[in-house]
Structures are given as C-alpha cells and as structure tokens.
Amino acid sequence: MNRPPATPALAPEGFTWPNGAKLALSIVVNVEEGAEQNILDGDRGPEPVDELSASPKRAMRVHGNESNYQYGIRAGAPRVLRELDRAGVKATWTAAALALERAPWLAEAIVARGDEVCCHGWRWAHQYWMKEEAERDYIRKGRDSLVQTTGKRPSGWLSRYLHTDITRRLLVEEGFAYHMDDYSDDFPYWDLVEMADGSKSPMVVLPYAIDSNDMKFWLAPSLTPQNWTAYAIDTFDQLYDEANELGARYMSLGLHLRIIGRPGRIGAFKAFLDHVKTRSDVWIASREEIAAAFTAAVPPPSV
C-alpha cells in the first residue's frame, strides 16, 4: 500500500457550508462504556485504557476501572445530554454498538434529539489483527446492531485506533458513506479506495482530531479543564479566522462520557459551547450532514 501524496484538502473557491457559513463544527461524543475489554466478556485481560493507570499484565478484573466506565453511562451521559440540550446543538455519537445495546435508554435519548449515530465498531476493539472475513463480520455486526437500537443504518465509521489496510474498502462494500479514521486535515476530502478487483471507488473522508479531544485529560502531559477549554477555544478561533480569510474549514471536538462527564470537567464543555454561540455564522452539524454538504458541492474525482 503506497502512501498518498501530502496535498492540502483545500475547499473549492467560494465554497460555503449551508446558510453561508465558512466554518462547520462537529461535536463528537464517543460511547464506548460497556463495550470495552473485560474478562466478563471473555477477553484475555482487562481494559488497559484507564484513568487509574492500573493495567495488570495478568488476566484479572480491575473493578475500579470497570466502575469508571460505568460512570460514563450512569452519570456522564446525562450531563453531556443536558449541556447539548441547553446549548441547542447537534452532535454525532460515535457508538461502539454493544455499548448502546447495554444502555437502551441512551440510544432512545440520542434518537429523540435527532442526533446522528456513527458506528465505532461492535465493541471498542482493535481491528488490525482481523482477517478479511472476520473484519467484514465485525463491521456488519456493529452496523446491524445500531440499526436495531437506533432504527437507522449508520453512514459513518470510526475504528478504535488500529485498523487494517482494507478497512476502507470493506466500508465501501458494506455501504458506508464516510470514514473518519484520519487526522490529516481541517476539511473533508475524497479518497479513491482500491477495490478487490483493482478498480477505484470514491469515499468521503472526514478527518477527526486528537489534539482537541478530551482524552487530553487522561494522557500525559494531561490538561486541566481550564487548559483544555483554552485550547479548544483557540482551535475554534484560529479555524474561524482561517475560514473567513482563506476558505472554508471544519473543526472536530471529541468527547467521552466517562471523561468530560465528570463534575469538574463538564464546565469546560459548557464554556466552549458558550464561546461558540457568540458566533452566529458557524454551522454546528452532524458528520453525516457535513459529509452530505461536501458531497453535494464537491464532485468525486473521476476514476
């Protein structure tokens, strides 16, 4: 697999998002709690991603980390929902499908808001080790599960970090409209995906962002809520200025129920939303809507 050329994904001259907006904002809420690695689900070890930094090398339960994930559903999710409702904004929920199977009340709340659910796998698990048919079954299982819990087929996909060279091809074959396992730009772009028969098929890539993600509360060097708010606002302001001076942009803000949903952190999200709401010319939209607006304005490359 050859590396793609490093060319900017520039917005076409004169491009605007709906209502004439130059900047689109995508709020992404990850729902992983209940789908993480757990010996109770037959895994060989406990979930290693842990705010407690307790990751034993042998197969044993880490009850504290299990309860930390449960907190995301029990207490974090209601707080995030309240802030979204207070601000009156849409979100895309990247959900590991099993998490919503185990929290049907949350699936109902997301659907009631009219928000998008993007598939984050069936479980919150890596794909890199999967052979083609195993990965295809995994993709289908996640998609079909979300159809059952939300009543709608997901149009987008986000893996847990590590996927395979053929993941994007499998997503095209299984009917997904966009892929977000990418961090390469501040604007969508078309990828020409190599299919099994050697032909090329276009797929929209919506780059995500790690630097403005609330995982920065956990990762060393970790940010305080004040640091994170300032960074998120600085990111927004810079992209807003670039969008108006150089051409349309979009921003991703990634959240997790068990992280931003803590009492000492939810205010950071509120402060960011309050800042964004001071701008009337920003389009806050789901990723599905962003992909559709991009597709309508930017034809796919010829193959």
Side-chain angles (χ1 to χ4, degrees), residues 28 31 132 138 158 160 164 173 180 197 232 302:
V28 176
V31 186
E132 179 170 341
Y138 177 77
L158 173 67
R160 178 177 177 172
T164 72
E173 292 174 351
M180 55 184 286
D197 62 1
S302 57

Side-chain angles (χ1 to χ4, degrees), residues 40-116:
L40 295 178
D41 287 322
D43 298 312
R44 289 181 292 179
E47 174 55 53
V49 176
D50 181 4
E51 189 169 16
L52 301 171
S53 299
S55 184
K57 302 301 181 184
R58 62 186 180 91
M60 61 176 292
R61 292 181 65 190
V62 181
H63 296 78
N65 196 30
E66 289 179 21
S67 67
N68 202 11
Y69 277 75
Q70 292 167 11
Y71 185 95
I73 298 295
R74 293 180 178 178
R79 286 196 183 100
V80 172
L81 285 164
R82 285 195 296 269
E83 284 306 315
L84 291 170
D85 288 345
R86 181 191 64 83
V89 297
K90 289 186 175 181
T92 292
W93 300 70
T94 48
L98 182 60
L100 288 189
E101 288 182 22
R102 290 173 167 172
W105 74 266
L106 180 55
E108 292 173 6
I110 294 168
V111 170
R113 297 193 83 252
D115 285 348
E116 175 198 6

